Amino acid sequence: MFIKKLFTLWFLLLIIVCGAFFFFANAPIQYAEKTNIPMSQHSNDELLHYIQQYQFLISEISHALRKEAYSFQLDYGILPNSKIELLVSLPDKVDRKTKQHIEETILDVIKANELNPISFQITLKNLYEPAAAISTRLSYNDVMANLFEAMFAQNFGAFSVDHSMTSEEIQVRINLTDEKNDKAKKKAQQLAEDTIKQHQFDVEAFSIDVQNQIKVLD
């Protein structure tokens, strides 16, 4: 009788321990999925190294896709397994054949540069939706494209939007025409913050600089 009770107690304790292990092992993954925060963090200096290493490849892939007359935004990032994610954002729904051709075009460029395709992961998504993959971003072209559309819809007139990464932060630069006042600049700032949030990125990681230095010709 004593042995039976001891076995039952041991079995219940085993279930509790296994349950706790499963919960804590999966909690960080679930959190990362909800907030679009990558599991493996890299210093900005490391990110800059990756950017310099793969900039030429990204440029060649973009050129190859444009030759095929595709409308897209191309971004890249580092996945937790150290693979490079090539994130293609498409503004419209595309069929399976088109997706396959886009992937084949990208793989051809990778092979032409004597790189191993296994080191890359190709992800296709809708331009207006946050990226589902959990990667440390090396570019934010999809975010900038959405911001550009939002500002165009708000009738900002002539303006420019671009971004870059430094060893300290992600810089977003918005330039308006010289007649735009502080109210317009604040509105552009808010649109940028809202767009970043829509893509589930941390606004605090971005430095948003709004200027009004575009000269309007009479």
Side-chain angles (χ1 to χ4, degrees):
M1 188 69 176
F2 173 75
I3 295 175
K4 184 177 181 181
K5 288 182 178 179
L6 184 64
F7 177 79
T8 302
L9 182 63
W10 176 83
F11 184 72
L12 290 173
L13 182 62
L14 181 63
I15 291 175
I16 293 171
V17 171
C18 290
F21 176 80
F22 178 82
F23 174 79
F24 287 110
N26 284 275
I29 296 175
Q30 293 170 356
Y31 174 76
E33 287 175 347
K34 290 179 181 179
T35 58
N36 210 17
I37 297 174
M39 290 293 293
S40 60
Q41 297 293 334
H42 300 265
S43 71
N44 278 8
D45 286 334
E46 289 176 320
L47 298 183
L48 289 175
H49 173 74
Y50 278 104
I51 290 172
Q52 292 170 357
Q53 184 176 356
Y54 291 103
Q55 246 177 358
F56 183 74
L57 176 67
I58 297 303
S59 178
E60 287 208 345
I61 292 173
S62 296
H63 178 69
L65 292 177
R66 287 195 184 96
K67 282 179 65 178
E68 299 294 331
Y70 290 122
S71 178
F72 68 95
Q73 292 294 329
L74 179 62
D75 289 291
Y76 59 129
I78 311 166
L79 290 164
N81 59 8
S82 296
K83 286 188 176 183
I84 298 299
E85 180 185 34
L86 301 172
L87 184 64
V88 184
S89 299
L90 304 168
D92 303 307
K93 290 183 178 179
V94 295
D95 56 31
R96 182 179 297 181
K97 185 178 180 180
T98 301
K99 289 181 178 179
Q100 183 177 351
H101 187 257
I102 289 172
E103 292 176 351
E104 289 173 352
T105 301
I106 293 173
L107 287 173
D108 287 344
V109 176
I110 291 171
K111 292 174 183 176
N113 281 273
E114 300 182 351
L115 296 170
N116 189 347
I118 297 176
S119 302
F120 298 85
Q121 175 179 306
I122 302 171
T123 304
L124 275 62
K125 77 172 186 71
N126 185 282
L127 176 62
Y128 306 103
E129 297 176 357
I134 305 168
S135 63
T136 302
R137 282 292 197 98
L138 299 174
S139 68
Y140 298 84
N141 293 317
D142 55 348
V143 180
M144 297 301 105
N146 283 173
L147 174 58
F148 185 93
E149 289 190 3
M151 291 183 63
F152 184 81
Q154 293 293 323
N155 299 315
F156 271 87
F159 65 89
S160 65
V161 174
D162 68 350
H163 78 292
S164 62
M165 293 183 65
T166 70
S167 60
E168 298 177 353
E169 60 194 1
I170 306 153
Q171 295 181 341
V172 177
R173 294 174 296 276
I174 302 172
N175 199 6
L176 309 176
T177 51
D178 55 4
E179 87 280 4
K180 290 293 189 293
N181 56 23
D182 288 342
K183 183 178 179 181
K185 292 171 69 174
K186 288 179 181 178
K187 186 177 180 180
Q189 171 93 19
Q190 189 61 55
L191 277 174
E193 292 179 2
D194 291 344
T195 304
I196 291 167
K197 289 176 183 177
Q198 287 169 10
H199 282 263
Q200 299 178 9
F201 292 115
D202 182 8
V203 176
E204 297 299 321
F206 292 76
S207 170
I208 304 170
D209 181 29
V210 183
Q211 300 289 335
N212 55 342
Q213 298 178 347
I214 298 177
K215 299 295 182 182
V216 179
L217 299 177
D218 296 329

